[in-house]
Amino acid sequence: MTVEIAMLFWAAVLGLVQVGAQSFAYKAQEGNAYTVGARDEHRPATGLAGRMERALRNFLETFPIFAAVILAVYATERSNQWSEIGAQVYFWGRLAYLPAYAIGLPWVRTVIWQIATIGIVLCMVPLFDRALLTVLME
C-alpha cells in the first residue's frame, strides 16, 4: 500500500468521524425525539452542531478532489515524494481542522484549511508534466 492510498483510507475514516461528530452534536442540540423522527419541520443546526455541520460540508467539498488526485497518482504510477508529503499534509490538516472549527478559531481554522489545500496541490505535482503533455499532444 502506498503512502497516498493509506492517507486516502485515513481521510475516509476521518470523514466517517466527522459524520458521527456532526450527528451527535445535532442530536445534543435537538434531542432524540426530533432526530429519530421524520424531521418534517426543519430545525437549523446552531452553535457546535452548526460548526460541525459546516466542517463536514467543507470536508465533503475537498475530499472528492483529494480522492481523485490520489487515485490518478496511483493509477498512473506517478507516486513520488511530493504526492506522499501532500497526502500527509492534507490528512493532518483536515484532522486539525475539525477541532479548530469545533471551538471556533477563525484565523487558525482558515490557515489550517489552506495548509490542507496545499496538500492537495502537492499531490498534483507528479501529474502536471504528464497531464500537460497529454493536452498539448492532442
Side-chain angles (χ1 to χ4, degrees), residues 16-136:
L16 289 177
V17 167
Q18 286 197 234
V19 167
Q22 187 277 328
S23 175
F24 284 120
Y26 190 67
K27 186 176 288 292
Q29 174 187 309
E30 292 299 329
N32 211 29
Y34 176 75
T35 58
V36 299
R39 301 184 192 185
D40 291 332
E41 173 193 338
H42 177 68
R43 297 182 187 172
T46 60
L48 177 63
R51 290 190 301 275
M52 290 293 86
E53 183 178 290
R54 291 186 299 277
L56 174 59
R57 187 172 56 239
N58 183 272
F59 176 82
L60 294 174
E61 291 169 354
T62 63
F63 180 73
I65 299 166
F66 174 70
V69 171
I70 293 303
L71 293 174
V73 165
Y74 185 78
T76 58
E77 298 178 354
R78 304 281 292 174
S79 174
N80 67 18
Q81 71 276 7
W82 292 108
S83 56
E84 289 177 0
I85 292 168
Q88 293 174 73
V89 166
Y90 174 80
F91 172 75
W92 292 110
R94 292 310 310 192
L95 184 64
Y97 185 82
L98 183 58
Y101 209 127
I103 60 177
L105 296 174
W107 290 100
V108 174
R109 183 192 82 223
T110 300
V111 169
I112 292 169
W113 179 88
Q114 291 171 337
I115 289 169
T117 302
I118 288 168
I120 296 173
V121 173
L122 291 175
C123 291
M124 293 175 164
V125 168
L127 299 171
F128 278 123
D129 62 340
R130 184 77 48 92
L132 182 60
L133 281 173
T134 301
V135 169
L136 293 175

Side-chain angles (χ1 to χ4, degrees), residues 2-13:
T2 66
V3 170
E4 298 91 340
I5 294 295
M7 290 296 99
L8 178 59
F9 168 77
W10 287 113
V13 170

